[in-house]
Amino acid sequence: MLRRVNTFCRICEPACGLIAEVENDRLVGIEADKEHPVSKGFACHKGTKFDEVHHDPDRLKYPMRRRNAKAEYPAQFERTGWDEVINDMGERLTNILDLYGVDAIASYTGNPMAFNAFGVQAVGSFLRKLGIRRNFDAASQDCSNKFAGSEAVFGTNSLHPVPDIDNTDYLLLLGENPQVSHMSFFSIPNPMKKIRDARARGAQIRYINPRLIESAGRNHDEVVQIKPDTDVYLLAAMLNEIDRLGRFDEHVINEHGKNIDQLREFIHRYPPERVATVTGIEAADICRLADEFSAAQSAAIHMSTGVNMGRQGTLAYWLVHMMSFVTGNLDRSGGNLYSLGYYPGARSGRNDLQNLFHESPFGDIRYVRGSLPGNLLADYIESEENPIRALIVTGGNPLLSIAGGDRLRKAMEKLELLIVIDLYQSATAELADYLLPAADMLERSDITIIGLGMQQQPYAQFTEAVIVPQYERKEEWWIFARMEQAMGYSSLLDSEGDTPLYNRLNNMLAHSDLSIARLKDEPSGTAILPSVTTDRFYTDHIQTQDKRVDCCPPIFDESISNMEQIFLELEQEPEDQLKLISLRTNFMHNGWQQNVKRLKQGHIRKIACI
Ligand SMILES: Nc1nc2c(c(=O)[nH]1)N[C@H]1C(S)=C(S)[C@@H](COP(=O)(O)OP(=O)(O)OC[C@H]3O[C@@H](n4cnc5c(=O)[nH]c(N)nc54)[C@H](O)[C@@H]3O)O[C@H]1N2
Ligand SMILES: Nc1nc2c(c(=O)[nH]1)N[C@H]1C(S)=C(S)[C@@H](COP(=O)(O)OP(=O)(O)OC[C@H]3O[C@@H](n4cnc5c(=O)[nH]c(N)nc54)[C@H](O)[C@@H]3O)O[C@H]1N2
Ligand code: SF4
Ligand SMILES: [Mo]
């Protein structure tokens, strides 16, 4: 008999509603959920073609143990059983802990773990129980600048006001290509429809990008082409011009801001005429952008990985917040609004900005949201003093996703123990001592978590596993809970049933009078929450101690002087300087989905860069 099961996609941030078709315990099809109250029948080809991942013969099926040395290629693995492998790993981790202490063990959690509510909580619990401090994750490749930026300006890493796209008159998008990527730090199914609707209403759309992107299509005038890695100067110059036009909202600034004189002093160093050559945008065009943004009835702004991944992503995000705040568009209809989801997360992201940095053999570094910078992973492994000797990689492929793969490979070959939990034998997994097969998104239950605080329409969805894990694949939470048991810690598996696993998420849902049991009764497993509102940002959401927006956080002093240094260097660059920029396509998802044949159709549009 054919069963149609409601579920949702966990590949990227929109979390589109899906219907999975199951016949005789076998997945036979996936389609977009037309009845889904939020995604309303939208899903992209990665979600609807996920059956190819699920059935892929290359998928890991059994727990495996390495037979040859790490440096030997190809890797040789032998099949083993879960009890054996868990006991082996537990014993080896305990030995390393006893011999070298806790800093000899590190963890890297990859991007897919952000879409795995129970898995990510189990990894966290395991690391806390062992006391592991050397944590790395994919965020330092694509978004930790945003955590650090919001922390400095709003007092919490978890406050990222999103564009009020349904009401805005002007939408400024920097470093993103929603047609291909469906946006990050803004959970919105079918973003291109929203952008088209906004355009049809008469809103102006502007993309800042070195490349004429797919999202703009034939609307070439919507793209302002910029030289790579110079957005921070464009934003400073736009703010400068808006101030010159007398369009700072003094009332909002007096009421809710601080350090505004310092902001003014800073932006006055970057008038449009000065930054034109470095950004590749003529002064008149910068002034036009500034005029448009500040004259619009309402204007919204969003910045993504094209800028995040640059050298000055944190400062750029500060200036993005400033564009919104000083023009009175923060917390205003049609501007940028905080999307309170089922759990008020802003408070838990609060951080004390004093003494954030600590000395390390590689200079002063800091944790951002509990994680160290990924590009130091190789240094930590190769360090003479107190090196990382064991690494647990969960749902990530750092060898491909962190820059400098050759060096990282050589470093990883030196690890005494590498445990990799993945769907596939990835490049990183080629070096593993233990390679453990994870259940895929259709083989596990879950709840929407990644978009919390960033959903265009707040909602919560629960899904049961569509299909039981095939072969000997296991969910990540189970693997970590078993490891806890093997190493003598308390564990989710100590008591029966789902309750312990669901406890934390039920506590979070309780803030919205919801529970997993209640979600199960809702159509599509989905409860719609109140829409995003204005007028609570400065009273309820902002987390600085004085509840004021910091317009020029002192923690940026050093970066601000580096910014000038970099500017002087950029001014010296020859006009034909070649620079590489990232190109995300429909054919892959970061470093995976390479086997999905039906993603490889079509071609990359040849589009001009400056
Ligand atoms: N070369 C390159 N580098 C990049 C990027 C890129 O596109 N190309 N993108 C950048 C960005 S934006 C990011 S976020 C980071 C991502 O950095 P990573 O997370 O390190 O890299 P991914 O390629 O996303 O790796 C995901 C791995 O998880 C596995 N996987 C998929 N689903 C599951 C699951 O449910 N459970 C488990 N256990 N494993 C799973 C995949 O098979 C894959 O090996 O990389 C950044 N760096
Ligand atoms: N098909 C597909 N979808 C994906 C992914 C994928 O790999 N494939 N990855 C997912 C992940 S993990 C993420 S984080 C999101 C990312 O989603 P987006 O942030 O939208 O990522 P991109 O589509 O790479 O868009 C980045 C844009 O920045 C531009 N750019 C490069 N350098 C600069 C610069 O210096 N300044 C400016 N202004 N622009 C610049 C590039 O030309 C590119 O158009 O996508 C998600 N969705
Ligand atoms: S847009 Fe993202 S969440 Fe939606 S179906 Fe595609 S991959 Fe899945
Ligand atoms: Mo990402």
Side-chain angles (χ1 to χ4, degrees):
M1 204 185 71
L2 187 75
R3 278 193 306 130
R4 286 170 59 81
V5 190
N6 282 105
T7 187
F8 63 91
C9 182
R10 280 148 278 168
I11 298 173
C12 81
E13 296 179 42
C16 304
L18 299 175
I19 304 276
E21 293 184 328
V22 180
E23 196 162 29
N24 302 329
D25 293 331
R26 189 179 156 78
L27 178 76
V28 293
I30 307 176
E31 60 187 52
D33 181 357
K34 295 192 184 66
E35 312 296 321
H36 193 280
V38 179
S39 57
K40 298 185 173 138
F42 176 80
C44 84
H45 61 329
K46 280 177 289 163
T48 56
K49 313 287 187 260
F50 194 79
D51 53 324
E52 282 195 42
V53 173
H54 178 75
H55 293 302
D56 192 344
D58 281 356
R59 279 275 301 277
L60 299 175
K61 300 184 177 80
Y62 310 102
M64 313 227 273
R65 186 168 42 200
R66 184 180 202 94
R67 284 176 38 207
N68 57 346
K70 275 201 187 47
E72 273 175 39
Y73 183 85
Q76 288 172 15
F77 290 103
E78 64 187 1
R79 180 176 163 181
T80 168
W82 276 108
D83 283 343
E84 204 182 328
V85 88
I86 295 276
N87 288 336
D88 259 21
M89 294 188 305
E91 214 169 280
R92 288 182 66 176
L93 285 172
T94 307
N95 278 343
I96 292 174
L97 272 178
D98 291 347
L99 272 173
Y100 307 109
V102 75
D103 284 343
I105 302 180
S107 153
Y108 176 91
T109 42
N111 171 270
M113 293 310 289
F115 307 84
N116 185 335
F118 302 119
V120 78
Q121 115 186 3
V123 181
S125 146
F126 178 77
L127 299 177
R128 276 192 302 277
K129 281 177 188 161
L130 267 70
I132 291 175
R133 297 181 295 192
R134 289 183 168 174
N135 299 318
F136 299 84
D137 62 37
S140 70
Q141 283 107 266
D142 79 332
C143 64
S144 34
N145 65 306
K146 288 195 163 178
F147 298 140
S150 283
E151 200 169 82
V153 176
F154 300 139
T156 167
N157 59 43
S158 306
L159 209 43
H160 304 278
V162 295
D164 183 9
I165 199 165
D166 283 340
N167 297 305
T168 196
D169 296 299
Y170 192 87
L171 185 59
L172 182 63
L173 303 169
L174 299 102
E176 58 200 271
N177 192 7
Q179 167 84 45
V180 170
S181 301
H182 308 110
M183 303 189 91
S184 178
F185 277 59
F186 189 18
S187 279
I188 171 173
N190 204 353
M192 290 316 298
K193 177 172 186 311
K194 291 283 182 187
I195 292 173
R196 280 195 301 275
D197 289 351
R199 191 186 287 128
R201 274 194 291 107
Q204 279 185 294
I205 316 292
R206 293 281 177 267
Y207 297 96
I208 310 292
N209 205 300
R211 182 171 171 263
L212 290 174
I213 43 173
E214 290 79 356
S215 306
R218 291 206 184 86
N219 301 303
H220 285 178
D221 57 334
E222 290 186 350
V223 184
V224 177
Q225 287 189 271
I226 187 167
K227 287 192 189 169
D229 216 11
T230 64
D231 299 72
V232 72
Y233 306 107
L234 169 69
L235 288 162
M238 285 175 69
L239 284 161
N240 181 321
E241 175 64 8
I242 294 170
D243 194 22
R244 196 191 64 79
L245 291 168
R247 301 223 184 114
F248 272 27
D249 187 329
E250 303 294 346
H251 174 72
V252 167
I253 292 170
N254 287 336
E255 197 84 346
H256 304 296
K258 64 180 170 197
N259 288 335
I260 188 70
D261 294 341
Q262 289 85 332
L263 175 72
R264 281 197 156 106
E265 197 263 312
F266 161 77
I267 55 178
H268 291 167
R269 293 178 215 162
Y270 298 102
E273 304 72 35
R274 182 168 183 234
V275 308
T277 315
V278 158
T279 58
I281 307 174
E282 284 181 20
D285 290 331
I286 298 174
C287 293
R288 180 178 53 88
L289 281 171
D291 176 39
E292 287 171 356
F293 191 92
S294 56
Q297 197 74 22
S298 64
I301 182 165
H302 187 257
M303 164 189 127
S304 198
T305 61
V307 187
N308 296 349
M309 291 176 179
R311 281 185 287 182
Q312 305 187 75
T314 306
L315 293 188
Y317 200 46
W318 156 47
L319 298 180
V320 160
H321 288 330
M322 285 307 105
M323 287 284 294
S324 188
F325 175 65
V326 300
T327 57
N329 278 296
L330 181 60
D331 204 31
R332 173 203 279 172
S333 172
N336 281 64
L337 305 176
Y338 175 58
S339 157
L340 181 66
Y342 56 82
Y343 173 77
R347 207 162 304 151
S348 48
R350 201 155 47 181
N351 202 1
D352 179 7
L353 292 185
Q354 302 300 314
N355 309 321
L356 264 187
F357 289 85
H358 62 265
E359 275 179 42
S360 83
F362 328 109
D364 287 351
I365 54 166
R366 62 171 291 196
Y367 284 89
V368 177
R369 227 187 183 201
S371 288
L372 292 166
N375 21 4
L376 286 181
L377 183 56
D379 296 274
Y380 272 107
I381 298 172
E382 297 203 310
S383 170
E384 303 240 313
E385 197 189 310
N386 207 6
I388 290 172
R389 296 166 194 270
L391 177 66
I392 306 169
V393 175
T394 316
N397 193 3
L399 208 54
L400 291 191
S401 65
I402 298 178
D406 288 346
R407 182 160 171 244
L408 189 54
R409 177 188 302 277
K410 291 204 178 77
M412 279 180 148
E413 282 173 2
K414 295 182 189 148
L415 286 169
E416 284 177 31
L417 176 63
L418 176 62
I419 298 169
V420 175
I421 306 171
D422 206 291
L423 307 185
Y424 286 97
Q425 188 166 326
S426 67
T428 305
E430 286 284 322
L431 295 172
D433 295 283
Y434 296 94
L435 183 46
L436 310 177
D440 64 48
M441 69 179 185
L442 300 179
E443 294 171 324
R444 60 166 196 261
S445 60
D446 220 327
I447 176 163
T448 42
I449 188 126
I450 177 122
L452 204 54
M454 294 180 277
Q455 290 170 321
Q456 199 246 334
Q457 168 60 60
Y459 71 101
Q461 180 166 6
F462 173 78
T463 176
E464 300 278 10
V466 168
I467 194 155
V468 291
Q470 308 291 290
Y471 305 96
E472 289 185 23
R473 297 173 193 156
K474 290 287 185 189
E475 293 179 52
E476 291 81 357
W477 74 262
W478 181 92
I479 300 173
F480 283 98
R482 281 288 285 114
M483 294 277 285
E484 287 174 346
Q485 283 186 322
M487 296 179 76
Y489 299 101
S490 62
S491 160
L492 282 176
L493 287 165
D494 294 344
S495 36
E496 302 270 304
D498 288 335
T499 318
L501 180 64
Y502 288 175
N503 267 348
R504 182 155 171 259
L505 281 149
N506 270 332
N507 288 339
M508 289 168 75
L509 286 164
H511 284 265
S512 297
D513 282 333
L514 288 172
S515 65
I516 290 175
R518 281 194 54 191
L519 290 178
K520 285 182 185 175
D521 289 339
E522 298 285 339
S524 295
T526 301
I528 296 289
L529 296 163
S531 292
V532 178
T533 53
T534 56
D535 297 329
R536 287 181 60 194
F537 189 87
Y538 302 111
T539 48
D540 299 10
H541 303 320
I542 190 165
Q543 296 295 324
T544 46
Q545 276 197 338
D546 52 8
K547 294 207 170 284
R548 283 181 174 268
V549 173
D550 197 337
C551 296
C552 194
I555 196 172
F556 291 157
D557 284 353
E558 196 180 328
S559 312
I560 287 174
S561 58
N562 288 344
M563 178 172 159
E564 179 61 17
Q565 198 51 45
I566 295 173
F567 188 83
L568 299 176
E569 285 162 26
L570 290 170
E571 272 186 324
Q572 301 305 316
E573 267 181 2
E575 216 174 298
D576 58 353
Q577 176 70 48
L578 187 66
K579 292 209 172 152
L580 292 176
I581 57 168
S582 55
L583 178 70
R584 216 175 283 277
T585 70
N586 279 327
F587 312 146
M588 292 273 289
H589 194 81
N590 297 337
W592 65 293
Q593 302 217 354
Q594 49 278 82
N595 281 10
V596 184
K597 288 201 184 66
R598 285 176 294 165
L599 292 194
K600 315 299 177 209
Q601 290 151 2
H603 57 93
I604 300 175
R605 290 174 53 170
K606 292 201 185 89
I607 292 181
C609 290
I610 59 164

